[in-house]
Amino acid sequence: MEISTTLSEQPVDDARLAEILANPGFGTHFTDHMFTVEWTPEKGWHDARITPYGPLSMDPATAVLHYAQETFEGMKAYRQPDGSVATFRPEANAQRMVLSSQRLAFPELPVEDFVQAVDALVEVDQRWVPEAAGEKSLYLRPFMIATEVFLGVRPSQHVTFMVIASPAGAYFKGGIKPVSLWLTEEYTRAGRGGMGAAKTGGNYASSLVAQQEATAHGCDQVVFLDGQEGTYIEELGGMNMYFVYEDGRIVTPETGTILEGITRSSVIELAEGLGHKVEERKISIDEWREGVASGAITEIFACGTAAVITPVGSLKWDGGEADSVTGDEGGELTMRIRQALVDIQYGRAEDTHGWMHRIG
Ligand code: PLP
Ligand code: COI
Protein backbone atom coordinates (compact mmCIF):
# COMPACT_ATOMS: atom_id res chain seq x y z
CA MET A 1 0.00 0.00 0.00
CA GLU A 2 1.33 3.41 -1.01
CA ILE A 3 0.86 5.91 1.85
CA SER A 4 1.19 9.67 1.38
CA THR A 5 2.15 11.76 4.40
CA THR A 6 1.19 15.34 5.19
CA LEU A 7 2.76 16.36 8.48
CA SER A 8 0.95 18.56 10.95
CA GLU A 9 2.06 22.18 10.98
CA GLN A 10 0.84 22.55 14.53
CA PRO A 11 2.00 19.48 16.43
CA VAL A 12 1.45 19.58 20.17
CA ASP A 13 4.52 21.24 21.70
CA ASP A 14 6.95 19.30 23.88
CA ALA A 15 5.86 20.90 27.15
CA ARG A 16 2.18 20.15 26.56
CA LEU A 17 3.02 16.63 25.37
CA ALA A 18 4.99 15.97 28.56
CA GLU A 19 1.99 17.15 30.58
CA ILE A 20 -0.37 14.83 28.68
CA LEU A 21 1.95 11.83 28.91
CA ALA A 22 2.40 12.38 32.65
CA ASN A 23 -1.29 11.73 33.14
CA PRO A 24 -2.86 10.46 29.93
CA GLY A 25 -6.09 8.96 31.31
CA PHE A 26 -7.88 6.85 28.72
CA GLY A 27 -9.13 7.94 25.33
CA THR A 28 -9.15 11.68 25.87
CA HIS A 29 -5.99 12.94 24.15
CA PHE A 30 -5.14 12.21 20.54
CA THR A 31 -1.87 12.29 18.65
CA ASP A 32 -0.88 14.77 15.96
CA HIS A 33 -1.83 12.57 12.99
CA MET A 34 -4.31 10.01 11.73
CA PHE A 35 -4.36 7.41 8.99
CA THR A 36 -7.10 7.11 6.37
CA VAL A 37 -7.72 4.83 3.39
CA GLU A 38 -10.91 4.56 1.36
CA TRP A 39 -12.69 1.86 -0.60
CA THR A 40 -15.13 1.84 -3.47
CA PRO A 41 -16.12 -1.13 -5.65
CA GLU A 42 -14.47 0.52 -8.67
CA LYS A 43 -11.14 1.46 -7.10
CA GLY A 44 -10.78 -0.99 -4.22
CA TRP A 45 -8.70 0.39 -1.33
CA HIS A 46 -7.16 3.68 -2.41
CA ASP A 47 -5.82 7.05 -1.32
CA ALA A 48 -3.98 5.85 1.79
CA ARG A 49 -2.74 8.85 3.70
CA ILE A 50 -1.39 10.15 6.96
CA THR A 51 -2.71 13.63 7.66
CA PRO A 52 -2.90 15.98 10.64
CA TYR A 53 -5.43 14.74 13.22
CA GLY A 54 -8.72 16.56 12.90
CA PRO A 55 -12.50 16.37 12.65
CA LEU A 56 -14.21 14.58 9.77
CA SER A 57 -16.68 16.46 7.67
CA MET A 58 -19.66 14.24 6.93
CA ASP A 59 -22.92 14.50 5.09
CA PRO A 60 -25.76 13.97 7.58
CA ALA A 61 -27.00 11.10 5.40
CA THR A 62 -23.72 9.17 5.72
CA ALA A 63 -24.72 5.53 6.21
CA VAL A 64 -22.74 4.80 9.39
CA LEU A 65 -24.65 7.51 11.24
CA HIS A 66 -27.93 5.68 10.61
CA TYR A 67 -27.41 1.93 10.49
CA ALA A 68 -24.16 1.59 12.43
CA GLN A 69 -22.27 -0.35 9.76
CA GLU A 70 -18.89 -0.08 11.47
CA THR A 71 -16.20 -2.17 13.07
CA PHE A 72 -13.23 -1.26 15.22
CA GLU A 73 -10.15 -2.64 16.90
CA GLY A 74 -8.25 -1.86 20.07
CA MET A 75 -4.52 -2.48 20.42
CA LYS A 76 -1.47 -0.88 21.99
CA ALA A 77 2.09 0.22 21.24
CA TYR A 78 4.57 -0.15 24.08
CA ARG A 79 7.85 1.64 24.78
CA GLN A 80 10.69 -0.90 24.94
CA PRO A 81 13.70 -0.76 27.27
CA ASP A 82 15.99 0.36 24.39
CA GLY A 83 13.66 3.26 23.55
CA SER A 84 12.13 1.61 20.51
CA VAL A 85 8.41 0.96 20.14
CA ALA A 86 6.56 -2.32 19.56
CA THR A 87 2.95 -3.35 19.10
CA PHE A 88 1.40 -6.55 20.47
CA ARG A 89 0.13 -9.15 17.98
CA PRO A 90 -1.06 -6.63 15.37
CA GLU A 91 -1.76 -9.40 12.84
CA ALA A 92 -4.28 -10.86 15.29
CA ASN A 93 -6.17 -7.56 15.42
CA ALA A 94 -5.98 -7.32 11.62
CA GLN A 95 -7.32 -10.84 11.29
CA ARG A 96 -10.13 -10.12 13.73
CA MET A 97 -11.07 -7.03 11.75
CA VAL A 98 -11.35 -9.25 8.66
CA LEU A 99 -13.81 -11.47 10.56
CA SER A 100 -15.74 -8.45 11.86
CA SER A 101 -15.79 -7.04 8.31
CA GLN A 102 -17.31 -10.25 6.99
CA ARG A 103 -20.08 -10.06 9.61
CA LEU A 104 -20.70 -6.36 8.90
CA ALA A 105 -20.78 -6.83 5.10
CA PHE A 106 -17.65 -4.74 4.60
CA PRO A 107 -14.86 -5.28 2.10
CA GLU A 108 -11.82 -6.90 3.71
CA LEU A 109 -8.74 -4.85 4.41
CA PRO A 110 -5.75 -7.15 3.86
CA VAL A 111 -3.89 -8.02 7.05
CA GLU A 112 -0.62 -6.57 5.75
CA ASP A 113 -2.31 -3.25 4.88
CA PHE A 114 -3.83 -3.01 8.36
CA VAL A 115 -0.44 -3.65 9.97
CA GLN A 116 1.28 -1.21 7.63
CA ALA A 117 -1.30 1.48 8.45
CA VAL A 118 -0.84 1.07 12.19
CA ASP A 119 2.96 0.99 11.83
CA ALA A 120 2.92 4.16 9.75
CA LEU A 121 0.85 6.09 12.28
CA VAL A 122 2.87 4.88 15.27
CA GLU A 123 6.09 5.77 13.47
CA VAL A 124 5.02 9.31 12.63
CA ASP A 125 3.64 9.86 16.18
CA GLN A 126 6.38 7.95 18.05
CA ARG A 127 6.95 10.75 20.51
CA TRP A 128 3.42 10.09 21.80
CA VAL A 129 4.33 6.61 23.06
CA PRO A 130 4.74 7.12 26.83
CA GLU A 131 7.56 5.71 28.90
CA ALA A 132 6.77 2.23 30.21
CA ALA A 133 6.56 3.34 33.85
CA GLY A 134 3.04 3.04 35.28
CA GLU A 135 2.08 0.67 32.45
CA LYS A 136 1.41 3.50 30.08
CA SER A 137 1.09 2.83 26.38
CA LEU A 138 -0.21 4.30 23.15
CA TYR A 139 -3.72 2.94 22.57
CA LEU A 140 -4.48 2.43 18.90
CA ARG A 141 -7.97 2.51 17.50
CA PRO A 142 -8.30 1.26 13.93
CA PHE A 143 -11.89 1.48 12.67
CA MET A 144 -13.92 1.05 9.52
CA ILE A 145 -17.09 2.99 8.73
CA ALA A 146 -19.76 3.09 6.03
CA THR A 147 -19.26 6.44 4.33
CA GLU A 148 -21.67 6.25 1.41
CA VAL A 149 -24.24 9.05 1.45
CA PHE A 150 -27.38 6.99 1.14
CA LEU A 151 -30.32 6.13 3.38
CA GLY A 152 -31.13 2.76 1.82
CA VAL A 153 -30.37 -0.29 3.91
CA ARG A 154 -27.62 -2.17 2.08
CA PRO A 155 -23.84 -2.51 2.39
CA SER A 156 -22.18 0.84 1.84
CA GLN A 157 -20.43 1.34 -1.48
CA HIS A 158 -18.00 3.77 0.07
CA VAL A 159 -15.99 2.62 3.05
CA THR A 160 -13.38 4.45 5.10
CA PHE A 161 -10.77 2.78 7.30
CA MET A 162 -8.91 4.96 9.76
CA VAL A 163 -6.41 4.64 12.60
CA ILE A 164 -6.21 7.10 15.47
CA ALA A 165 -3.98 6.90 18.53
CA SER A 166 -4.34 8.00 22.12
CA PRO A 167 -1.85 7.76 24.98
CA ALA A 168 -3.23 5.64 27.80
CA GLY A 169 -2.65 5.16 31.49
CA ALA A 170 -4.57 2.68 33.63
CA TYR A 171 -8.09 1.95 32.36
CA PHE A 172 -9.49 1.65 35.88
CA LYS A 173 -8.91 4.52 38.27
CA GLY A 174 -8.50 2.29 41.32
CA GLY A 175 -5.27 0.67 40.05
CA ILE A 176 -4.94 -3.12 40.16
CA LYS A 177 -7.79 -3.75 42.58
CA PRO A 178 -10.56 -6.28 42.03
CA VAL A 179 -13.47 -4.87 40.04
CA SER A 180 -16.98 -5.51 41.34
CA LEU A 181 -19.47 -6.95 38.89
CA TRP A 182 -23.18 -6.57 38.37
CA LEU A 183 -24.97 -9.52 36.78
CA THR A 184 -27.56 -8.25 34.36
CA GLU A 185 -30.47 -10.64 33.96
CA GLU A 186 -32.48 -8.23 31.86
CA TYR A 187 -30.07 -7.34 29.06
CA THR A 188 -27.92 -9.48 26.79
CA ARG A 189 -25.26 -8.32 24.35
CA ALA A 190 -25.45 -11.11 21.77
CA GLY A 191 -27.76 -13.76 20.45
CA ARG A 192 -27.39 -16.78 18.19
CA GLY A 193 -26.60 -15.50 14.71
CA GLY A 194 -26.04 -12.00 16.09
CA MET A 195 -22.92 -9.87 16.16
CA GLY A 196 -21.42 -10.92 19.51
CA ALA A 197 -18.20 -12.20 17.97
CA ALA A 198 -17.68 -9.05 15.89
CA LYS A 199 -16.09 -5.92 17.29
CA THR A 200 -18.73 -3.45 16.25
CA GLY A 201 -20.13 -0.34 17.87
CA GLY A 202 -23.66 -1.70 18.18
CA ASN A 203 -22.54 -4.25 20.75
CA TYR A 204 -21.19 -1.45 22.91
CA ALA A 205 -24.25 0.74 22.40
CA SER A 206 -26.41 -2.13 23.61
CA SER A 207 -24.20 -2.62 26.68
CA LEU A 208 -24.53 0.96 27.94
CA VAL A 209 -27.86 0.62 29.71
CA ALA A 210 -26.64 -2.56 31.41
CA GLN A 211 -23.51 -0.72 32.49
CA GLN A 212 -25.72 2.04 33.90
CA GLU A 213 -27.58 -0.60 35.85
CA ALA A 214 -24.24 -1.85 37.20
CA THR A 215 -23.23 1.64 38.27
CA ALA A 216 -26.60 2.21 39.92
CA HIS A 217 -25.97 -0.92 41.98
CA GLY A 218 -22.54 0.33 43.02
CA CYS A 219 -20.64 -2.06 40.73
CA ASP A 220 -17.74 -1.29 38.40
CA GLN A 221 -18.66 -3.48 35.44
CA VAL A 222 -21.50 -5.55 34.07
CA VAL A 223 -21.36 -9.26 33.29
CA PHE A 224 -23.57 -10.67 30.53
CA LEU A 225 -25.17 -14.09 30.27
CA ASP A 226 -25.95 -15.91 27.04
CA GLY A 227 -28.98 -14.61 25.16
CA GLN A 228 -30.61 -17.97 24.58
CA GLU A 229 -30.91 -19.50 28.02
CA GLY A 230 -29.77 -16.70 30.31
CA THR A 231 -27.61 -19.28 32.07
CA TYR A 232 -24.05 -19.18 30.81
CA ILE A 233 -21.45 -16.53 31.44
CA GLU A 234 -20.39 -14.68 28.34
CA GLU A 235 -18.14 -11.71 29.11
CA LEU A 236 -17.99 -8.21 30.53
CA GLY A 237 -18.73 -5.06 28.53
CA GLY A 238 -15.11 -4.90 27.35
CA MET A 239 -13.30 -7.94 28.78
CA ASN A 240 -13.19 -11.74 28.70
CA MET A 241 -13.45 -13.79 31.90
CA TYR A 242 -11.50 -16.60 33.63
CA PHE A 243 -12.19 -18.77 36.66
CA VAL A 244 -9.35 -20.50 38.48
CA TYR A 245 -10.18 -23.71 40.37
CA GLU A 246 -8.45 -25.07 43.45
CA ASP A 247 -6.89 -27.89 41.42
CA GLY A 248 -5.22 -25.32 39.15
CA ARG A 249 -7.61 -25.69 36.22
CA ILE A 250 -8.71 -22.50 34.51
CA VAL A 251 -12.11 -22.23 32.87
CA THR A 252 -13.03 -19.54 30.34
CA PRO A 253 -16.28 -19.23 28.36
CA GLU A 254 -16.11 -20.79 24.92
CA THR A 255 -16.20 -18.61 21.82
CA GLY A 256 -19.10 -18.14 19.43
CA THR A 257 -21.11 -15.22 20.75
CA ILE A 258 -18.34 -13.49 22.70
CA LEU A 259 -15.55 -11.32 21.39
CA GLU A 260 -12.52 -13.53 20.82
CA GLY A 261 -10.08 -11.47 22.78
CA ILE A 262 -6.46 -11.34 21.75
CA THR A 263 -5.53 -10.99 25.40
CA ARG A 264 -7.82 -13.99 26.02
CA SER A 265 -5.89 -16.25 23.67
CA SER A 266 -2.55 -14.92 24.97
CA VAL A 267 -3.61 -15.68 28.56
CA ILE A 268 -4.54 -19.22 27.55
CA GLU A 269 -1.05 -19.74 26.11
CA LEU A 270 0.65 -18.18 29.13
CA ALA A 271 -1.41 -20.24 31.59
CA GLU A 272 -0.72 -23.44 29.70
CA GLY A 273 2.96 -22.51 29.68
CA LEU A 274 2.77 -22.28 33.47
CA GLY A 275 1.40 -25.83 33.54
CA HIS A 276 -2.29 -25.03 33.96
CA LYS A 277 -5.00 -26.85 32.10
CA VAL A 278 -7.34 -24.39 30.39
CA GLU A 279 -10.91 -25.43 29.59
CA GLU A 280 -12.85 -23.40 27.04
CA ARG A 281 -16.43 -24.38 27.73
CA LYS A 282 -19.80 -23.22 28.93
CA ILE A 283 -19.78 -22.08 32.54
CA SER A 284 -23.08 -21.33 34.20
CA ILE A 285 -23.81 -18.59 36.66
CA ASP A 286 -24.72 -21.30 39.19
CA GLU A 287 -21.28 -22.87 38.78
CA TRP A 288 -19.81 -19.46 39.59
CA ARG A 289 -21.98 -18.91 42.66
CA GLU A 290 -21.51 -22.45 43.94
CA GLY A 291 -17.77 -22.40 43.24
CA VAL A 292 -17.38 -19.23 45.27
CA ALA A 293 -19.53 -20.59 48.11
CA SER A 294 -17.72 -23.93 48.29
CA GLY A 295 -14.24 -22.53 47.79
CA ALA A 296 -13.74 -24.54 44.57
CA ILE A 297 -13.14 -21.30 42.67
CA THR A 298 -10.02 -19.64 44.05
CA GLU A 299 -9.50 -16.72 41.65
CA ILE A 300 -11.54 -14.84 39.06
CA PHE A 301 -10.13 -12.37 36.59
CA ALA A 302 -10.94 -10.55 33.38
CA CYS A 303 -8.75 -9.40 30.53
CA GLY A 304 -8.71 -7.09 27.55
CA THR A 305 -6.36 -4.74 25.73
CA ALA A 306 -7.52 -1.59 27.51
CA ALA A 307 -7.83 -3.19 30.96
CA VAL A 308 -4.91 -5.69 30.63
CA ILE A 309 -5.68 -8.29 33.34
CA THR A 310 -7.93 -7.22 36.15
CA PRO A 311 -8.90 -9.25 39.20
CA VAL A 312 -12.63 -9.72 39.66
CA GLY A 313 -14.04 -9.16 43.12
CA SER A 314 -17.63 -9.38 44.28
CA LEU A 315 -20.63 -10.31 42.13
CA LYS A 316 -24.02 -8.72 42.76
CA TRP A 317 -27.34 -9.66 41.24
CA ASP A 318 -30.95 -8.82 41.83
CA GLY A 319 -31.48 -10.32 45.27
CA GLY A 320 -28.01 -11.48 46.22
CA GLU A 321 -24.28 -11.05 46.34
CA ALA A 322 -21.20 -13.26 46.31
CA ASP A 323 -18.04 -11.99 47.99
CA SER A 324 -14.67 -11.58 46.36
CA VAL A 325 -12.75 -14.86 46.56
CA THR A 326 -9.45 -13.01 46.91
CA GLY A 327 -10.52 -10.12 49.16
CA ASP A 328 -9.11 -6.73 48.15
CA GLU A 329 -6.25 -8.22 46.18
CA GLY A 330 -5.74 -10.00 42.89
CA GLY A 331 -5.20 -13.75 43.17
CA GLU A 332 -1.69 -15.17 43.05
CA LEU A 333 -2.05 -16.78 39.62
CA THR A 334 -3.92 -13.76 38.26
CA MET A 335 -1.04 -11.50 39.17
CA ARG A 336 1.55 -13.98 37.89
CA ILE A 337 -0.09 -14.21 34.47
CA ARG A 338 -0.55 -10.46 34.43
CA GLN A 339 3.15 -9.92 35.15
CA ALA A 340 4.17 -12.44 32.50
CA LEU A 341 2.02 -10.64 29.93
CA VAL A 342 3.14 -7.09 30.68
CA ASP A 343 6.79 -8.19 30.89
CA ILE A 344 6.53 -9.44 27.31
CA GLN A 345 4.66 -6.34 26.16
CA TYR A 346 7.23 -3.96 27.67
CA GLY A 347 10.16 -6.04 26.44
CA ARG A 348 11.28 -7.03 29.95
CA ALA A 349 10.91 -10.74 29.26
CA GLU A 350 11.90 -12.78 26.24
CA ASP A 351 9.18 -12.85 23.61
CA THR A 352 9.17 -16.62 23.14
CA HIS A 353 5.74 -16.55 21.46
CA GLY A 354 6.75 -14.07 18.77
CA TRP A 355 4.00 -11.66 19.82
CA MET A 356 5.84 -8.36 19.65
CA HIS A 357 6.07 -6.39 16.45
CA ARG A 358 8.79 -3.78 16.37
CA ILE A 359 8.03 -0.48 14.62
CA GLY A 360 10.61 1.14 12.38
N1 PLP B 1 -14.73 -8.53 25.09
C1 PLP B 1 -15.15 -7.31 24.71
C2 PLP B 1 -16.61 -7.07 24.60
C3 PLP B 1 -14.21 -6.31 24.41
O1 PLP B 1 -14.59 -5.10 24.03
C4 PLP B 1 -12.84 -6.59 24.55
C5 PLP B 1 -11.85 -5.54 24.30
O2 PLP B 1 -11.36 -5.36 23.27
C6 PLP B 1 -12.45 -7.87 24.93
C7 PLP B 1 -13.43 -8.82 25.19
C8 PLP B 1 -11.01 -8.25 25.01
O3 PLP B 1 -10.44 -8.33 23.74
P1 PLP B 1 -8.91 -8.02 23.49
O4 PLP B 1 -8.16 -8.85 24.45
O5 PLP B 1 -8.66 -8.40 22.08
O6 PLP B 1 -8.72 -6.58 23.74
C1 COI C 1 -10.24 -2.70 24.30
O1 COI C 1 -9.85 -3.31 25.30
O2 COI C 1 -9.49 -2.41 23.37
C2 COI C 1 -11.62 -2.32 24.16
O3 COI C 1 -12.02 -2.14 23.07
C3 COI C 1 -12.43 -2.18 25.35
C4 COI C 1 -13.18 -0.86 25.38
C5 COI C 1 -12.27 0.33 25.45
C6 COI C 1 -14.17 -0.76 24.27
Side-chain angles (χ1 to χ4, degrees):
M1 184 170 55
E2 189 87 24
I3 303 175
S4 75
T5 301
T6 308
L7 292 179
S8 170
E9 286 175 7
Q10 291 154 317
V12 166
D13 67 49
D14 288 343
R16 177 66 188 134
L17 181 59
E19 211 171 87
I20 293 170
L21 296 187
N23 195 7
F26 182 82
T28 52
H29 302 283
F30 297 92
T31 63
D32 294 315
H33 300 90
M34 59 190 190
F35 172 89
T36 309
V37 64
E38 292 173 70
W39 179 93
T40 58
E42 301 76 34
K43 291 188 173 172
W45 292 106
H46 64 277
D47 199 13
R49 56 199 188 270
I50 297 247
T51 56
Y53 186 92
L56 304 179
S57 167
M58 255 188 208
D59 190 290
T62 300
V64 65
L65 300 176
H66 300 271
Y67 310 121
Q69 191 193 2
E70 84 94 39
T71 173
F72 70 95
E73 272 303 324
M75 49 194 288
K76 284 175 172 173
Y78 304 86
R79 185 68 70 182
Q80 304 296 296
D82 65 359
S84 68
V85 173
T87 51
F88 182 71
R89 306 188 68 184
E91 296 88 0
N93 291 91
Q95 193 55 50
R96 187 168 66 186
M97 181 164 267
V98 168
L99 296 177
S100 298
S101 298
Q102 290 167 351
R103 183 63 185 83
L104 270 296
F106 270 134
E108 290 172 23
L109 180 69
V111 167
E112 59 273 20
D113 290 350
F114 177 107
V115 174
Q116 190 192 352
V118 170
D119 283 5
L121 182 65
V122 174
E123 186 147 19
V124 76
D125 281 335
Q126 272 216 36
R127 66 192 193 108
W128 285 83
V129 181
E131 292 307 317
E135 290 187 5
K136 291 176 190 161
S137 60
L138 184 65
Y139 185 78
L140 300 158
R141 173 52 62 85
F143 62 101
M144 195 181 285
I145 52 176
T147 39
E148 184 177 357
V149 177
F150 179 58
L151 291 185
V153 181
R154 60 153 169 72
S156 180
Q157 300 301 292
H158 188 173
V159 174
T160 304
F161 169 80
M162 301 188 68
V163 188
I164 56 174
S166 174
Y171 187 64
F172 293 114
K173 288 196 192 75
I176 309 169
K177 286 277 165 217
V179 291
S180 57
L181 301 187
W182 167 253
L183 176 72
T184 177
E185 289 171 281
E186 178 163 10
Y187 302 107
T188 59
R189 71 178 285 289
R192 194 171 64 83
M195 306 194 296
K199 200 159 169 69
T200 183
N203 290 337
Y204 299 80
S206 88
S207 77
L208 297 177
V209 65
Q211 178 62 41
Q212 279 181 326
E213 209 183 68
T215 307
H217 285 88
C219 299
D220 299 314
Q221 291 280 306
V222 60
V223 55
F224 290 98
L225 297 177
D226 75 283
Q228 210 136 336
E229 297 180 51
T231 300
Y232 301 104
I233 295 151
E234 296 241 297
E235 61 185 321
L236 310 189
M239 279 176 277
N240 296 118
M241 287 202 75
Y242 295 83
F243 299 83
V244 182
Y245 284 74
E246 56 188 341
D247 60 4
R249 260 178 317 131
I250 301 177
V251 178
T252 190
E254 64 190 6
T255 58
T257 50
I258 62 170
L259 189 77
E260 250 180 84
I262 289 149
T263 321
R264 177 186 180 280
S265 74
S266 310
V267 164
I268 291 173
E269 284 192 51
L270 290 172
E272 287 175 343
L274 291 170
H276 291 264
K277 181 162 178 283
V278 182
E279 298 174 2
E280 296 180 62
R281 62 164 168 86
K282 286 186 163 59
I283 169 166
S284 72
I285 187 66
D286 286 340
E287 182 175 345
W288 179 345
R289 288 183 185 127
E290 286 159 16
V292 170
S294 72
I297 292 177
T298 52
E299 299 182 30
I300 308 175
F301 64 94
C303 73
T305 297
V308 194
I309 289 176
T310 300
V312 167
S314 58
L315 172 71
K316 238 191 223 180
W317 61 91
D318 193 10
E321 182 163 2
D323 285 339
S324 169
V325 289
T326 50
D328 289 339
E329 308 275 308
E332 197 263 328
L333 181 62
T334 302
M335 300 312 278
R336 196 138 58 92
I337 293 175
R338 189 181 196 288
Q339 197 61 46
L341 180 65
V342 297
D343 282 349
I344 292 172
Q345 291 172 331
Y346 288 99
R348 298 186 293 245
E350 197 190 340
D351 176 23
T352 53
H353 302 269
W355 285 338
M356 301 310 291
H357 172 82
R358 201 162 270 254
I359 311 279

